[in-house]
Amino acid sequence: MRRGLAIGMIIVGIALMVISYFGLAAPWGADSVANSDPRLQFAPLLFVLGVMMAFGSALVYEMLPDKSGPK
Amino acid sequence: MATATYESGLPRGVGRLTRGWVLFVIAMAAVCGLGWYAYVREYTEGMTITGMRNVGTMGGATWGLYITFVVYFIGVSFAGIAVAVVIRLFNLEKLRPLARMAEVLTVVSLLLGAIAIVADLGQPFRGIINLFRYARPQSPFFGTFTMVIAGYLFASLVYLWLTSRRDAALLAKQESRMRWLHRFVAAGYTDTPVERERHSRATFWLAICILPMLVVAHSTLGFVFGLQVGRPGWYSALQAPAFVVLAGVSGTGLLIVLAAIVRKMLNRDVGLNTYVFGWLGRFMMVLLIVYVYFMVTELATATYAGSERELQVTREMLRGEYSWIFWTSVALLVLPLASLLFQAIKRNWSVPWLIVSGIAVNLGAIGKRYLIAVPSQTHGQLLPYNDGSYTPSWIEFAVVASLMAFGALIIGVFMKVLPIVELEPEEEVVSHA
């Protein structure tokens, strides 16, 4: 459970980073003014949340008790 | 196994408020107050109260003392977390007393770097909201904010918390006014073999992830300058690696100074011996050699075959308006290098000389950061503008001084809440009762 949740956070965090960076922020390689705005507003915030979620998984992994509790 | 006990209170000076410490806190708080007053004036009266002006049309610099210190503070963080992570990854037991203070130094310096960016923005709230709303991933600024501020600071905080839990759990065993706080930081940690194993695995992987991010984050900050093709003096492939190396130099220097202060304050053997200082001295020496090599290469390239504007910026640094800062910075980097080489050859490390070197390289690094930021704006015009100038106002000096005081204050308070030097595995805190 604990390990699964931590791995899940890493996967979701990385997915958030990749999707927001390449799919939701301003398009890569397009340098015209028309393309300077992100495709979804606050996409950079999603990227930041993804970074935090990935690193936050360490907290979950270490601090969440095991099913049977600490031995 | 020997068990050290602390009959006269918590270990490492935790919770012990001496008169000197209280005076230190009052002095730092006073400087912070002055900085806050200066910043409120800047916020209400506008950036015109600072020495910064538009580049070109107003003959000034829009990036001044604040950006100089953003780069400096973030640079200091590099060595902190690098040293801490290397100690844990390679199990360098003799250097373990440095780990906690290196982690604290990283968190504090990153925090100060973030605040310095806010101080540089005329309308900080507008700036921060729009950054999260509209930032372009192609821009190095995006990388700086996301990698440095979000990723790096958050990861360092997580790392510091996880590595502090064991000590907090040990301190929570003893009756004290801060027991509730130690219990909170320990967050249920009881130091069982299972928890130790889990902690070791978590911090190992965290350290593995932090190291490459560290290099990417600092390189990105270098790219903020190095990728600007229209700004002579900035556009260079060496900017990013030179940023990383000078970051290591200044951070290690500050770590030496902090370790010396801690050793003096704790007034007992906490493992901060000549071996530890010698290791830091060697580390700083190697980084300094690499940085001096970069500096000479950069200068040789710019002066041998630089463009007209590139040459002008370099001339201003070598014999013009900025020459006193340049040559003072060079002296503050080269003389400590000579001192470190001498000590390395003699195989005899002198802590006082290492402290002097640590302070000197930090002053030199601040000078170099200033020279990276300012001269290219005042003398690196590709458009037909006259040369400009930049002199920081007292507002900027007060804000920067308050940032330093704030950093010292956080470290000072941390030392009274948690051990700044990790408790040894065999150490255990016992109750008076």
Side-chain angles (χ1 to χ4, degrees):
Chain A
M1 163 75 177
R2 179 177 53 81
R3 184 180 293 213
L5 197 60
I7 292 173
M9 278 179 76
I10 295 173
I11 292 170
V12 173
I14 292 174
L16 257 181
M17 282 187 251
V18 171
I19 292 169
S20 59
Y21 198 82
F22 292 104
L24 303 178
W28 264 92
D31 52 4
S32 69
V33 175
N35 285 316
S36 64
D37 278 346
R39 280 166 280 197
L40 177 75
Q41 282 193 12
F42 292 104
L45 182 64
L46 289 179
F47 182 88
V48 170
L49 291 177
V51 175
M52 287 181 163
M53 191 176 271
F55 280 106
S57 64
L59 291 175
V60 170
Y61 179 79
E62 188 166 331
M63 294 167 79
L64 225 64
D66 276 321
K67 220 173 186 178
S68 54
K71 294 181 181 105
Chain B
M1 188 183 283
T3 301
T5 58
Y6 302 94
E7 299 298 342
S8 56
L10 298 171
R12 309 276 196 266
V14 173
R16 209 174 303 146
L17 306 185
T18 59
R19 203 170 66 167
W21 184 85
V22 173
L23 287 174
F24 163 79
V25 168
I26 291 170
M28 294 301 109
V31 180
C32 287
L34 176 71
W36 182 248
Y37 168 72
Y39 180 69
V40 169
R41 283 199 56 185
E42 180 192 302
Y43 185 76
T44 50
E45 295 176 38
M47 297 301 274
T48 185
I49 206 166
T50 69
M52 292 183 280
R53 295 292 180 271
N54 284 354
V55 176
T57 49
M58 293 178 81
T62 48
W63 287 359
L65 208 59
Y66 295 149
I67 295 297
T68 301
F69 274 86
V70 168
V71 179
Y72 169 72
F73 285 134
I74 293 176
V76 165
S77 72
F78 176 86
I81 198 72
V83 167
V85 160
V86 165
I87 289 170
R88 289 194 201 278
L89 274 183
F90 298 103
N91 248 339
L92 304 174
E93 283 303 322
K94 284 187 175 174
L95 300 178
R96 198 165 282 273
L98 282 176
R100 175 76 46 77
M101 67 182 82
E103 289 156 18
V104 174
L105 190 62
T106 294
V107 170
V108 169
S109 50
L110 281 174
L111 195 64
L112 298 182
I115 299 173
I117 294 175
V118 171
D120 188 63
L121 299 171
Q123 290 293 323
F125 299 111
R126 198 185 300 164
I128 291 165
I129 289 169
N130 284 339
L131 181 93
F132 287 127
R133 201 172 183 179
Y134 296 119
R136 286 174 64 86
Q138 291 93 329
S139 165
F141 285 97
F142 180 78
T144 302
F145 273 90
T146 53
M147 297 304 288
V148 176
I149 306 301
Y152 192 10
L153 177 57
F154 184 74
S156 303
L157 271 171
V158 168
Y159 195 77
L160 176 63
W161 189 9
L162 291 183
T163 54
S164 301
R165 286 176 73 210
R166 178 185 166 272
D167 285 1
L170 291 178
L171 294 180
K173 286 181 183 173
Q174 186 166 342
E175 278 294 342
S176 75
R177 282 171 297 176
M178 288 187 294
R179 197 174 192 182
W180 63 273
L181 188 59
H182 294 142
R183 277 186 178 153
F184 172 76
V185 175
Y189 188 84
T190 47
D191 206 24
T192 61
V194 174
E195 280 179 323
R196 262 181 252 159
E197 168 64 24
R198 192 192 296 172
H199 171 70
S200 169
R201 206 176 300 135
T203 48
F204 175 82
W205 284 107
L206 203 52
I208 291 271
C209 295
I210 285 176
L211 265 186
M213 193 180 69
L214 197 71
V215 177
V216 173
H218 284 271
S219 302
T220 311
L221 190 61
F223 286 146
V224 168
F225 296 90
L227 294 184
Q228 298 216 25
V229 67
R231 185 63 57 193
W234 283 358
Y235 186 57
S236 163
L238 278 183
Q239 283 284 17
F243 257 68
V244 174
V245 176
L246 190 57
V249 170
S250 55
T252 313
L254 209 55
L255 196 54
I256 289 173
V257 176
L258 183 59
I261 293 170
V262 168
R263 187 165 89 149
K264 178 85 179 161
M265 277 183 71
L266 294 183
N267 207 17
R268 50 175 287 173
D269 181 25
V270 285
L272 293 169
N273 48 32
T274 317
Y275 174 85
V276 172
F277 282 94
W279 189 90
L280 285 174
R282 274 192 295 272
F283 188 53
M284 190 163 78
M285 181 185 74
V286 172
L287 292 172
L288 262 174
I289 290 170
V290 177
Y291 184 72
V292 169
Y293 168 69
F294 280 164
M295 196 167 65
V296 172
T297 311
E298 186 90 71
L299 272 178
T301 311
T303 49
Y304 186 80
S307 66
E308 188 196 332
R309 286 293 168 175
E310 189 82 41
L311 275 171
Q312 191 183 347
V313 173
T314 311
R315 264 199 306 269
E316 281 302 318
M317 281 203 289
L318 295 179
R319 2 180 249 268
E321 193 183 327
Y322 300 101
S323 60
W324 71 273
I325 303 177
F326 178 79
W327 291 111
T328 308
S329 302
V330 169
L332 288 169
L333 294 170
V334 171
L335 292 178
L337 175 58
S339 160
L340 293 169
L341 281 169
F342 181 73
Q343 292 177 70
I345 291 166
K346 296 271 283 181
R347 293 187 183 187
N348 184 17
W349 295 95
S350 153
V351 176
W353 275 111
L354 284 171
I355 297 169
V356 171
S357 299
I359 294 170
V361 295
N362 271 278
L363 294 174
I366 291 170
K368 288 294 289 176
R369 300 311 195 191
Y370 185 87
L371 291 172
I372 288 169
V374 177
S376 290
Q377 297 174 80
T378 56
H379 291 80
Q381 310 296 336
L382 292 179
L383 292 170
Y385 291 119
N386 291 330
D387 289 342
S389 65
Y390 164 69
T391 309
S393 71
W394 76 267
I395 295 278
E396 290 161 270
F397 281 117
V399 169
V400 165
S402 75
L403 286 176
M404 289 185 159
F406 186 50
L409 194 58
I410 297 174
I411 295 175
V413 171
F414 183 92
M415 287 173 75
K416 298 298 171 189
V417 175
L418 280 168
I420 192 81
V421 175
E422 266 181 59
L423 299 176
E424 298 288 333
E426 67 269 23
E427 284 181 285
E428 192 178 324
V429 181
V430 296
S431 163
H432 289 292

